[in-house]
C-alpha cells in the first residue's frame, strides 16, 4: 500500500513539473514571437525614406516601440534614438541633408 502511495505522489509531482515546464516553454515561445514582430516593425520603420508615403506611419511605430514593456531596455533606447534622429532630420531642409 505504501509503495502505491509513494508511486502516486511521484507521478503527481512529475505531472506538476511537466505542466510548469510546458507553460514556461509556451510563454517563452510567445515572448520570442512578440519580440521578433517588434523587431520587424522597428527595421521596417527605419527603412522608410523621408518624404515617402509611409514615413509618418514609421514615426508613429517608433514612438510606440519606445513604450513596449516586454521589449528589452536596450531595444527601447534604440527606438528612442531612432525617433530622435528622425525628429532632428525633419527639421533639416532636404538640400542640407548629409548623404547616407
Amino acid at each position: 500500500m505504501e509503495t502505491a502511495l509513494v508511486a502516486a505522489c511521484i507521478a503527481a509531482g512529475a505531472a506538476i513539473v511537466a505542466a510548469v515546464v510546458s507553460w514556461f516553454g509556451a510563454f517563452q515561445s510567445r515572448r520570442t514571437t512578440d519580440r521578433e514582430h517588434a523587431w520587424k516593425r522597428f527595421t521596417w520603420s527605419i527603412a522608410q525614406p523621408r518624404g515617402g508615403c509611409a514615413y509618418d506611419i514609421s514615426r508613429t511605430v517608433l514612438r510606440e516601440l519606445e513604450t513596449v514593456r516586454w521589449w528589452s531596455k536596450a531595444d527601447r533606447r534604440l527606438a528612442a534614438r531612432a525617433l530622435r534622429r528622425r525628429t532632428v532630420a525633419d527639421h533639416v531642409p532636404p538640400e542640407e541633408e548629409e548623404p547616407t
Side-chain angles (χ1 to χ4, degrees):
M1 183 71 167
E2 284 182 27
T3 307
L5 184 59
V6 170
C9 287
I10 291 172
I16 291 170
V17 168
V20 169
V21 168
S22 177
W23 174 83
F24 186 72
F27 176 75
Q28 286 296 96
S29 176
R30 177 173 175 186
R31 194 170 178 188
T32 300
T33 302
D34 289 345
R35 283 183 173 167
E36 181 180 340
H37 179 69
W39 185 253
K40 285 180 182 178
R41 290 176 61 198
F42 174 75
T43 56
W44 172 85
S45 66
I46 61 172
Q48 298 309 307
R50 182 176 174 191
C53 60
Y55 185 76
D56 289 337
I57 296 169
S58 69
R59 293 186 73 219
T60 303
V61 168
L62 287 172
R63 194 174 304 117
E64 292 298 319
L65 287 174
E66 279 184 305
T67 61
V68 173
R69 64 182 167 82
W70 41 259
W71 219 24
S72 73
K73 196 173 190 178
D75 290 340
R76 288 193 307 260
R77 280 195 309 260
L78 186 62
R81 282 186 292 190
L83 182 60
R84 202 168 27 249
R85 286 188 86 163
R86 284 270 167 113
T87 303
V88 169
D90 287 346
H91 296 315
V92 175
E95 61 274 357
E96 294 180 24
E97 285 184 349
E98 294 180 21
T100 55

